[in-house]
Amino acid sequence: MGITNEHLQTNSHTTFMMQQAQPIHTEDIMTLLVNTAKWFKANGSSQWNGLLEGIDSHRTEEAVARGDVFIATMNETIAGMVMLLKEPSAWDKNLWDLSDDEQNEAVYLHRLAINRDFANHQLGSALLTWCQQSIRFPEIQKIRLDCIADNPFLNRFYQTNGFVYVGEKDGYSLYEYKYEK
């Protein structure tokens, strides 16, 4: 899926460019993810702590190579990113209790991250809207995501942005967004 130079407008009237991440972006993406994990930790959340220990459970470098990572840029600086896995990871299969026939009905959203230099531009909401409205995958009926259940900010954020809470498993809140037909 080749997404290149698509404009992304936020509610704060800031314009970013959306594109599919390329291998050349990997180092900057990893820096963004580690910085986001540090920000989570500083704000009392253990979300993404593995990244601070060098553990990348979502194998970001491989996801970039597969074309599963999308970035929002401004003046060639990565302002935000999102990972959309067309095939569920082992993490997703376990968390969502997937059977073989369910595995291709959803895309799995991971690693929504905002560069703190671009905070307060409503970029996170704009990225979710982009995922909901601007990109589609054949045979995909919904977007699924998870976050730590005890993070009230993230739980409220996803619900405010159209995701429906569908349960909790192993300390993680599960959310879905169903595409309109």
Side-chain angles (χ1 to χ4, degrees):
M1 172 140 316
I3 305 295
T4 57
N5 299 333
E6 180 178 320
H7 290 278
L8 177 69
Q9 182 84 31
T10 68
N11 289 340
S12 68
H13 306 292
T14 305
T15 302
F16 297 91
M17 296 300 293
M18 282 301 295
Q19 64 185 42
Q20 197 167 34
Q22 301 299 313
I24 194 168
H25 299 120
T26 302
E27 185 177 337
D28 290 340
I29 288 169
M30 293 309 300
T31 299
L32 171 60
L33 291 175
V34 168
N35 287 341
T36 302
K38 289 176 182 176
W39 182 81
F40 279 143
K41 187 173 185 174
N43 285 280
S45 175
S46 61
Q47 186 104 2
W48 301 4
N49 268 359
L51 288 167
L52 301 177
E53 300 163 4
I55 300 167
D56 181 8
S57 61
H58 293 296
R59 305 164 89 165
T60 303
E61 186 173 344
E62 293 173 27
V64 169
R66 280 193 313 269
D68 292 341
V69 177
F70 302 89
I71 56 174
T73 62
M74 180 181 278
N75 300 325
E76 299 187 29
T77 299
I78 296 177
M81 65 154 292
V82 63
M83 182 183 295
L84 295 171
L85 300 180
K86 297 174 283 285
E87 295 291 327
S89 66
W91 170 267
D92 297 317
K93 289 177 184 179
N94 176 59
L95 203 58
W96 290 89
D97 294 321
L98 297 177
S99 65
D100 289 339
D101 60 340
E102 291 179 297
Q103 293 186 16
N104 290 323
E105 70 176 12
V107 63
Y108 294 84
L109 189 152
H110 293 285
R111 302 294 197 220
L112 175 66
I114 305 302
N115 178 330
R116 301 317 303 159
D117 292 339
F118 296 92
N120 302 315
H121 288 281
Q122 301 167 341
L123 180 55
S125 293
L127 283 170
L128 288 178
T129 299
W130 180 83
C131 292
Q132 295 162 341
Q133 297 177 2
S134 297
I135 187 167
R136 291 291 176 98
F137 301 94
E139 307 301 318
I140 298 298
Q141 302 168 19
K142 58 186 103 171
I143 303 170
R144 287 180 169 163
L145 62 84
D146 64 85
C147 70
I148 290 183
D150 68 359
N151 186 323
F153 171 80
L154 283 178
N155 281 275
R156 188 172 45 256
F157 173 72
Y158 291 126
Q159 290 176 21
T160 300
N161 284 283
F163 284 80
V164 176
Y165 175 81
V166 295
E168 183 178 324
K169 182 176 178 192
D170 300 334
Y172 291 88
S173 296
L174 306 177
Y175 290 93
E176 287 185 342
Y177 172 86
K178 292 185 181 178
Y179 288 115
E180 294 180 15
K181 295 184 179 189

